[in-house]
Amino acid sequence: MTKVLISIVGPTAIGKTALSIKLAQHFDTEIISADSRQFYKEMQIGTAAPTPSELASAQHHFIHHKTIEDIYSVGDFEKEALKTLETLFKTNDIVIMVGGSGLYADAVTKGLDEFPNIDPNIRVSLNEELKSKGIESLQEQLKTLDPKSYESIAIDNPHRLIRALEVCIGSKQPYSSFLTSTRKTRPFKTITIGLTAEREIIYDRINKRVDQMMAEGLLSEVKGLQSKQHLNALNTVGYKELFKFLDQQWTLDFAISEIKKNTRRFAKRQLTWFKKNTDTFWFDYTTKTEVIISAITNSK
């Protein structure tokens, strides 16, 4: 029998975790997380990681298996996830993968793209510019050099932004032009399930989730990480805004409004990324699980 990976994608706060658990229970299988923010054990509330009860509902992999001090790349994840899948497929015909990090999900299902070698001095120069002029300067450069990447990658993430820019500058070609390599052969079939909703509904769910995170103690979680705010893992939505509040640069209300705004922007970019895959089966977030299971069964 062909081994099948069910990849669940969609914007943040749309209900991917709940669906992944229902599918894992139905198919009596396990879940691989492809959410790059949920890898870190110190980041529970702000990443909307599965709760202890959710983790107990199905066996999960790649949740809180790293510390924010660790250097962990998408290439590292690709290798480890494929090795985990190889093991899981020995006893399971179906495995679930879930996460909103498009690059990480694609690394598992399609493989990483091949990029040219870039002069390391370009990255040094861009990091210096980040410190002296701020992230907005780099964002404007990418908008000029590669509008396509500007619309699809996480431009609020300095690491991703600088990676795209160094390829643009070093190769004199858009970063996005390298994202067309031949899909790698995988020893399993992938069925991608996308959850979505009208934009107003997605944005409302995001706003409510941020309020819920604050009620659950996000500020305390961020306060405990304040001394580590220079680490790349923490340069992410929900944390960087509250660091500004704790550093007395912003009011708390403004920081919360910025979390909501930046999360909405992130969701828009997620959808742009995921919509590139024309093989995805898209469902409204309210679709009954039985309907999605039927679509999966018919696609195997």
Side-chain angles (χ1 to χ4, degrees), residues 8 10-21 98 195 205 209 285:
I8 304 171
T12 189
I14 200 67
K16 298 186 296 295
T17 297
L19 176 61
S20 70
I21 291 171
V98 60
L195 291 182
R205 288 174 68 86
R209 172 178 276 186
Y285 79 108

Side-chain angles (χ1 to χ4, degrees), residues 6 22 38 44 52 71 75 81 109 117 132 134 138 148 175 191 210 214 258 260 276 289:
I6 301 171
K22 289 177 182 176
Q38 294 179 0
Q44 168 73 40
I71 296 174
T109 60
N117 292 322
S132 63
L138 299 183
K148 191 173 179 181
Y175 174 80
I191 298 175
V210 172
M214 293 303 297
E258 286 294 291
K260 292 177 178 178
K276 291 187 299 183
T289 308

Side-chain angles (χ1 to χ4, degrees), residues 178-198:
F178 294 98
L179 302 176
T180 55
S181 69
T182 304
R183 185 171 183 153
K184 307 294 190 298
T185 300
R186 298 301 193 208
F188 53 82
K189 176 180 180 179
T190 299
I191 298 175
T192 304
I193 302 297
L195 291 182
T196 190
E198 295 294 330

Side-chain angles (χ1 to χ4, degrees), residues 29-98:
T29 190
E30 303 183 16
I31 299 170
I32 285 179
S33 172
D35 189 317
S36 63
R37 301 185 343 138
Q38 294 179 0
F39 296 158
Y40 303 104
K41 61 184 69 177
E42 298 90 344
M43 300 164 67
Q44 168 73 40
I45 300 172
T47 62
T51 63
S53 63
E54 287 174 328
L55 291 172
S57 299
Q59 181 65 45
H60 286 71
H61 302 268
F62 300 97
I63 295 285
H64 298 159
H65 69 303
K66 294 292 177 183
T67 172
I68 55 175
E69 304 277 358
D70 291 331
I71 296 174
Y72 190 63
S73 71
V74 63
D76 296 328
F77 173 70
E78 179 192 17
K79 293 185 184 74
E80 292 184 17
L82 290 175
K83 188 175 180 181
T84 300
L85 281 172
E86 184 180 356
T87 300
L88 292 177
F89 278 135
K90 289 178 181 177
T91 53
N92 299 273
D93 291 325
I94 295 174
V95 176
I96 312 296
M97 181 169 72
V98 60

